[in-house]
Amino acid sequence: MASNKKAIKERIRSIRSTKKITSAMEVIANAKLAKLRNLMEKNRTYTAILQDMIADIMATNKDIDSPFLAAKNSPNTYWLVFGSDLGLCGAYNINVHKLLKENYRQGDKVIIVGSKLMTLVRSEIGYTDYRPIEMTGHDDIRRFMHKMIDSFLCDEVGKICVIYTKYNSAVNFEAAIHQVLPYEGKEGKEMELIYDPDRETVLNELIRMSTESVTYSLLEETRISEQASRRLAMQNANDNADELEEELTLAYNQARQAAITQEITEIIGGADAL
């Protein structure tokens, strides 16, 4: 009985130690979540302005021609896939990996961003480039997009797509696909515009800038979703720890009461024997 009580007490002590770690990770994830959300909103504003300019040019010049708008003959896709460097964030990387496997076809090209995602992907799918997500900045996104756009313009691939984790709310996020090229703009309005040097050059440059900005926004959204997923996972771990500690405390008290009852019974039995 004493060994059973000791084992329960050790488990309670272990759970409390684990809970300190998960609570700290939840606080850190919350802080990072707020910071990344602000960065994402700033970049979204810039991206929206670029997309509005492109939409107005296309609405004003319905006959305009651009290699970024035309469909390509190649059936292949160039994938840029965002994951995480660290674990302990639920099914975050698994969902991204699953979506890539469902859509990947032989002949496609893949760029992986995220060390943890890489461990899931590298044994199944070939890749042309890799980068840890914590070390990925705007310059890296620009480099990736230049490589992918060159393949698109050479008709090596017919589409450029990004697989990321869409942030819907603090408790709702899902793996999703965003098509970068061929460019699919929104509706614009006709207006008088002056172009320098010419409308095609201006449009193509704006689309290039937009692809980089949109992709960077998806990277930031992925980072936000990672922290939200980790915060939720740590919150669930804390809740489970509380429940388990309560159950073990009850079991410990029952074992302690049983030991006391047994001691009293032995004392009374010894007294009767005298």
Side-chain angles (χ1 to χ4, degrees):
M1 185 66 70
S3 61
N4 186 37
K5 282 168 42 184
K6 184 177 180 180
I8 294 174
K9 200 167 185 178
E10 285 297 323
R11 287 195 65 189
I12 292 174
R13 186 180 294 111
S14 175
I15 289 170
R16 286 174 178 171
S17 298
T18 302
K19 188 181 174 184
K20 289 179 181 178
I21 298 173
T22 55
S23 296
M25 293 183 67
E26 182 182 355
V27 172
I28 293 170
N30 260 326
K32 288 184 176 180
L33 185 64
K35 180 179 178 181
L36 290 170
R37 190 185 290 118
N38 291 333
L39 291 175
M40 184 187 70
E41 292 302 328
K42 291 179 181 178
N43 194 71
R44 273 184 173 176
T45 302
Y46 172 72
T47 302
I49 292 172
L50 282 178
Q51 291 177 329
D52 288 341
M53 292 173 64
I54 295 170
D56 293 341
I57 292 173
M58 293 175 63
T60 306
N61 305 271
K62 293 183 170 55
D63 61 334
I64 198 166
D65 187 26
S66 170
F68 296 110
L69 304 175
K72 301 297 180 181
N73 296 323
S74 175
N76 300 327
T77 302
Y78 214 140
W79 299 97
L80 178 57
V81 189
F82 294 140
S84 75
D85 289 337
L86 304 174
L88 297 177
C89 49
Y92 176 83
N93 287 298
I94 294 173
N95 292 336
V96 172
H97 179 217
K98 180 181 178 182
L99 187 60
L100 176 60
K101 285 181 63 177
E102 289 174 351
N103 291 274
Y104 177 83
R105 299 293 179 267
Q106 192 67 31
D108 289 356
K109 297 183 177 183
V110 181
I111 295 175
I112 303 295
V113 178
S115 302
K116 196 70 176 181
L117 179 64
M118 171 60 74
T119 60
L120 298 174
V121 173
R122 64 183 173 188
S123 61
E124 303 172 343
I125 296 172
Y127 59 94
T128 63
D129 207 338
Y130 157 73
R131 182 80 170 164
I133 194 167
E134 289 301 322
M135 298 175 62
T136 302
H138 200 276
D139 289 340
D140 299 294
I141 294 299
R142 182 181 293 111
R143 177 171 61 86
F144 291 151
M145 293 311 301
H146 283 182
K147 178 188 295 188
M148 299 169 80
I149 289 173
D150 287 345
S151 293
F152 178 79
L153 295 178
C154 293
D155 209 11
E156 294 177 0
V157 297
K159 288 192 298 184
I160 295 176
C161 293
V162 177
I163 295 181
Y164 70 109
T165 303
K166 184 178 180 181
Y167 179 80
N168 297 319
S169 69
V171 294
N172 186 356
F173 24 85
E174 56 185 345
I177 297 175
H178 176 82
Q179 179 177 308
V180 178
L181 292 177
Y183 184 82
E184 296 178 347
K186 53 186 177 180
E187 291 294 327
K189 54 187 177 182
E190 296 185 20
M191 58 176 59
E192 292 185 9
L193 298 170
I194 299 174
Y195 305 99
D196 184 21
D198 58 74
R199 60 181 189 171
E200 285 78 10
T201 302
V202 172
L203 176 63
N204 291 340
E205 188 60 30
L206 285 174
I207 291 178
R208 277 185 178 273
M209 293 169 63
S210 177
T211 58
E212 294 174 8
S213 183
V214 167
T215 304
Y216 187 73
S217 290
L218 298 180
L219 172 67
E220 291 300 319
E221 189 166 352
T222 296
R223 285 172 167 159
I224 290 173
S225 299
E226 177 190 349
Q227 298 304 326
S229 181
R230 182 170 290 111
R231 185 201 64 79
L232 185 61
M234 293 303 100
Q235 185 182 55
N236 291 336
N238 289 335
D239 292 342
N240 291 336
D242 287 338
E243 292 179 8
L244 187 55
E245 183 181 352
E246 186 177 340
E247 291 175 4
L248 289 173
T249 300
L250 179 61
Y252 176 80
N253 290 335
Q254 289 175 341
R256 182 169 174 272
Q257 290 170 0
I260 294 172
T261 302
Q262 183 178 353
E263 290 176 2
I264 293 174
T265 302
E266 290 173 353
I267 291 172
I268 293 175
D272 290 342
L274 295 175

